[in-house]
Amino acid sequence: MADMYSGGSTSAISSSAPEHSKSGSADVISMSAAEVTHRLAAWISPHGGFLVLAAASSIATVLLQLWVPIIVGAAIDQLIRLVQGGEAALLPTLAQLSVVVLLASATQWLASWSTNKLTYLVTRDLREAAHTKVSNLPLSYIDTHSQGDLLSRVVNDVDQLGDGLQQGLTQFLTGVVTIIGTLCFMFYMSVPMGLVVALATPLSIIVASAITKYASSSFGKQQRYQGQLGGYAEEMVSNQELITAFAHKNAIIEQFDAINEKLRVVGERAQFASSLSNPSTRLVNNFIYALVAALGCICVLTGVPSPLTIGQVQSFLSYTNQYMKPFNAISAVVTQVQTAYASARRVFDLLDAKEIKPDPADAEVIQDPQGSIEFDDVAFSYDAKHPLLSHISFKAEPGQKIALVGPTGCGKTTLINLLLRFYSIDSGAIYVDGHSTQKLTRASLREQFGMVLQDTWLFKGTIKENIRYAKPDATDEEIFAAAQKAQAHEFIQQLPQGYDTMVGESGGSLSQGQQQLLCIARVMLANPPILLLDEATSSIDTRTEQLVQKAFDTIMKGRTSLVVAHRLSTIQRADCILVLKDGSILERGTHDELLAKDGFYANLYESQFEGTEA
């Protein structure tokens, strides 16, 4: 078994897509930090009011906090004078200090509130955009990307981006103002001492920048492996029954451990590199602090290079400490910021994916649906190097039942994908009621079809809600009638809450056959002019299949039906059977006509029923 996962589960209707093309979780995304910052700014700009409020309150907070050392320094000098028997107004100074501290606390709260508000509004917008993007992506993109990785981008990566944005904005806004403000105050108090601090600052910046650059690539790999691990875990959890049945648990655990180990290695490397940043910058900053303290003592004792009082030295040391804090704080959150940038690249890569082409302005709408279908010399391939369908031509008149049979992988389900415009044909044309499907609006085209697939899809909700999904305004009576036609009414009534019984994700405790009956009831409620049945009775027992076939016979009257079937017993009464092989129509005709030809279909039929009469 390969030691790297790059796939993901796909939608049932697109099962013919080539599995080897799946990717996404291991893609290297090339996007510079400057480009990421520019794009983030575009998402922040609609909420610029909160950014302005955060900036203003941060500036006010820093200025008030910078005022505190001056007041403290003055209080120290006054206290010294009092000890020496002089006079000093200490109480008014302490009152002033209290007011400034309270105001600084209030503005700091306002800065935090506005930053949080801005961050969560931006992450909300990004998550909505990412979710909408996934809804507008072509099926070819979904088929070739791990679903777990896509979910990771919409959920986890947006969360990581939000965390990094919150911390980054907080440290950036306060940090810039603190650095500028403290430098101004220090130069005001002593130009020589201010120069010492300013000239020593690049040491801290150089150290932090070198470590950050080294860690950046590791964080990008970490996010990619997280998406890969999420996609693998999602697929394995949803297929536990199959894994258990084939006794693949040990192999699955080994593959999971392989991906997890790769994540551990790059994660440790990224965390170790980023963790060096904070202690390294603190070491440099402590050296600068000690240097300022030593020079301050010299200034107090000798007046060289500038005369300072003990209180002023204390103020200067406070400014030095505050000046260094932004560098320490930024280095402390570098892990979150790096992770946020890696996540942002993945989110923006998703948002940049090519969407389904919008319907043209002159797109047609089917007004009076009849249900005719025509394929005219259609050719298609998922991969240009490997043609799948060629010269496909047939016509289904309104009310006809057309069956598609053939070996696995011959393109039966692909024909349905093309009919619904999940994929675009390479050449030829497909018509519904005489309209080229390429010239119809997608909504108008897909409203003509009702689908029942081999793989069922039920969402978490009541049975009634699941059936009503096909027709949101349907009455209870219409739902009951659809369930009765689908032979589902009887078993639904036997459930604890009947039609109000909750269905868990993936059908919960319902059997596969019961889930299929509910999907059939959903289509019967929609009452479309054309039915698409892809192995619709494959999970139903023989007795129930006979009942459902009667129901299908009823609903098919006056409606065109396109039936994909492997069990040839289900399509013997089809008006026309198309036998596909190697991407083309090999034979066509009724069941009796094809048996009389004694060709490929006859061989298929005989192989299925060989020995059943014994």
Side-chain angles (χ1 to χ4, degrees):
M1 180 173 288
D3 64 348
M4 184 50 57
Y5 168 79
S6 61
S9 56
T10 59
S11 57
I13 190 63
S14 57
S15 58
S16 297
E19 291 294 328
H20 67 269
S21 66
K22 293 182 187 298
S23 61
S25 53
D27 294 344
V28 177
I29 302 170
S30 177
M31 192 178 297
S32 67
E35 184 179 354
V36 173
T37 303
H38 176 73
R39 296 188 65 169
L40 279 175
W43 285 92
I44 292 173
S45 60
H47 312 291
F50 290 107
L51 181 62
V52 171
L53 181 60
S57 53
S58 296
I59 292 172
T61 299
V62 172
L63 292 178
L64 289 168
Q65 289 175 343
L66 292 178
W67 193 357
V68 170
I70 293 179
I71 300 174
V72 172
I76 291 174
D77 288 337
Q78 290 173 357
L79 185 60
I80 291 174
R81 286 197 295 271
L82 287 173
V83 171
Q84 293 174 348
E87 294 183 0
L90 184 59
L91 289 178
T93 303
L94 294 177
Q96 184 184 25
L97 177 63
S98 300
V99 172
V100 171
V101 169
L102 288 174
L103 287 174
S105 299
T107 54
Q108 188 173 30
W109 175 86
L110 184 60
S112 298
W113 177 83
S114 53
T115 301
N116 290 341
K117 192 76 174 176
L118 173 65
T119 298
Y120 286 106
L121 285 172
V122 171
T123 53
R124 179 204 65 186
D125 293 347
L126 277 169
R127 185 172 287 111
E128 287 179 353
H131 181 266
T132 301
K133 184 73 178 188
V134 172
S135 301
N136 292 326
L137 288 173
L139 197 62
S140 56
Y141 185 97
I142 304 297
D143 278 342
T144 55
H145 288 73
S146 160
Q147 290 185 3
D149 184 65
L150 291 177
L151 290 173
S152 180
R153 296 190 191 208
V154 175
V155 180
N156 297 335
D157 284 315
V158 173
D159 283 340
Q160 295 280 8
L161 195 160
D163 292 340
L165 182 62
Q166 183 181 36
Q167 293 296 323
L169 282 176
T170 300
Q171 302 305 332
F172 178 78
L173 290 174
T174 58
V176 170
V177 179
T178 299
I179 291 170
I180 295 174
T182 50
L183 279 175
C184 292
F185 275 93
M186 285 190 291
F187 275 108
Y188 172 76
M189 293 178 64
S190 173
V191 174
M193 294 280 284
L195 284 172
V196 170
V197 176
L199 292 175
T201 299
L203 289 175
S204 180
I205 297 175
I206 291 172
V207 170
S209 298
I211 296 173
T212 299
K213 185 177 180 180
Y214 173 74
S216 179
S217 62
S218 294
F219 278 107
K221 292 179 181 178
Q222 179 182 344
Q223 291 307 105
R224 290 198 299 274
Y225 284 129
Q226 281 183 345
Q228 210 172 67
L229 193 67
Y232 182 79
E234 185 269 339
E235 188 171 80
M236 295 307 106
V237 170
S238 61
N239 291 280
Q240 274 298 303
E241 292 182 2
L242 187 63
I243 293 168
T244 303
F246 282 95
H248 277 313
K249 283 190 174 182
N250 292 335
I252 295 304
I253 292 173
E254 289 176 5
Q255 192 168 5
F256 180 90
D257 289 343
I259 305 172
N260 198 31
E261 177 64 16
K262 290 178 181 291
L263 177 60
R264 181 194 67 79
V265 171
V266 297
E268 282 185 357
R269 190 176 300 156
Q271 295 297 330
F272 176 76
S274 64
S275 65
L276 290 176
S277 180
N278 189 261
S280 299
T281 54
R282 284 186 181 276
L283 178 62
V284 175
N285 295 342
N286 288 336
F287 169 76
I288 297 172
Y289 187 87
L291 181 61
V292 170
L295 289 176
C297 292
I298 295 173
C299 290
V300 172
L301 295 174
T302 65
V304 178
S306 61
L308 293 174
T309 66
I310 294 177
Q312 289 175 324
V313 172
Q314 173 60 38
S315 298
F316 211 100
L317 288 173
S318 295
Y319 285 135
T320 303
N321 190 42
Q322 289 193 45
Y323 176 76
M324 298 302 175
K325 276 184 178 180
F327 299 104
N328 292 334
I330 291 173
S331 63
V333 300
V334 69
T335 299
Q336 282 184 305
V337 173
Q338 290 286 355
T339 302
Y341 267 70
S343 295
R345 289 184 178 93
R346 286 164 49 79
V347 174
F348 291 142
D349 179 69
L350 172 62
L351 295 179
D352 290 341
K354 189 175 181 180
E355 295 186 6
I356 300 172
K357 291 182 180 180
D359 294 325
D362 59 348
E364 303 171 7
V365 176
I366 298 178
Q367 299 292 346
D368 184 21
Q370 300 298 314
S372 69
I373 300 172
E374 182 179 0
F375 278 64
D376 183 12
D377 198 27
V378 171
F380 172 77
S381 62
Y382 292 104
D383 181 356
K385 297 180 181 179
H386 303 88
L388 178 60
L389 298 174
S390 60
H391 304 296
I392 300 296
S393 297
F394 69 89
K395 188 171 184 179
E397 298 293 346
Q400 278 193 324
K401 179 180 179 180
I402 306 296
L404 303 175
V405 301
T408 301
C410 67
K412 302 184 296 295
T413 299
T414 299
L415 286 178
I416 294 179
N417 288 344
L418 298 178
L419 184 58
L420 292 167
R421 279 182 64 188
F422 289 157
Y423 289 88
S424 296
I425 58 178
D426 296 335
S427 63
I430 302 175
Y431 300 94
V432 173
D433 284 349
H435 301 271
S436 170
T437 56
Q438 299 298 316
K439 295 182 180 180
L440 290 169
T441 65
R442 289 183 178 85
S444 174
L445 171 66
R446 292 167 186 169
E447 284 174 357
Q448 311 309 310
F449 301 98
M451 259 190 325
V452 181
L453 308 177
Q454 180 176 3
D455 295 326
T456 58
W457 178 74
L458 299 175
F459 56 86
K460 188 174 182 179
T462 65
I463 286 179
K464 188 184 297 182
E465 290 170 341
N466 271 274
I467 298 176
R468 184 177 274 131
Y469 189 81
K471 186 180 178 182
D473 59 347
T475 64
D476 289 352
E477 288 70 21
E478 290 176 316
I479 293 173
F480 300 154
Q484 287 173 341
K485 291 179 181 178
Q487 309 301 319
H489 182 71
E490 183 177 347
F491 91 80
I492 294 174
Q493 286 187 316
Q494 294 175 355
L495 295 173
Q497 284 81 40
Y499 283 84
D500 294 320
T501 300
M502 290 294 296
V503 177
E505 293 181 7
S506 302
S509 60
L510 296 179
S511 69
Q512 192 67 29
Q514 289 173 331
Q515 294 177 43
Q516 191 69 283
L517 291 175
L518 292 182
C519 292
I520 294 171
R522 180 190 294 162
V523 171
M524 289 185 170
L525 178 64
N527 201 21
I530 303 174
L531 296 176
L532 303 177
L533 310 176
D534 190 350
E535 287 295 318
T537 60
S538 61
S539 301
I540 301 174
D541 62 84
T542 304
R543 178 180 177 276
T544 306
E545 179 186 346
Q546 294 173 352
L547 296 175
V548 172
Q549 282 299 144
K550 292 180 180 179
F552 274 144
D553 290 341
T554 301
I555 197 173
M556 285 178 184
K557 289 180 180 178
R559 293 176 178 81
T560 309
S561 303
L562 201 59
V563 182
V564 175
H566 287 103
R567 294 200 297 193
L568 303 185
S569 60
T570 62
I571 46 92
Q572 292 182 16
R573 289 179 292 172
D575 296 301
C576 181
I577 299 173
L578 304 178
V579 183
L580 275 71
K581 187 175 185 294
D582 298 328
S584 61
I585 299 177
L586 182 64
E587 297 173 351
R588 68 181 72 201
T590 65
H591 173 71
D592 293 335
E593 290 171 347
L594 292 175
L595 286 181
K597 288 182 179 180
D598 196 25
F600 187 73
Y601 176 84
N603 290 333
L604 282 178
Y605 186 81
E606 289 172 4
S607 65
Q608 282 197 13
F609 292 95
E610 187 176 33
T612 57
E613 297 179 359

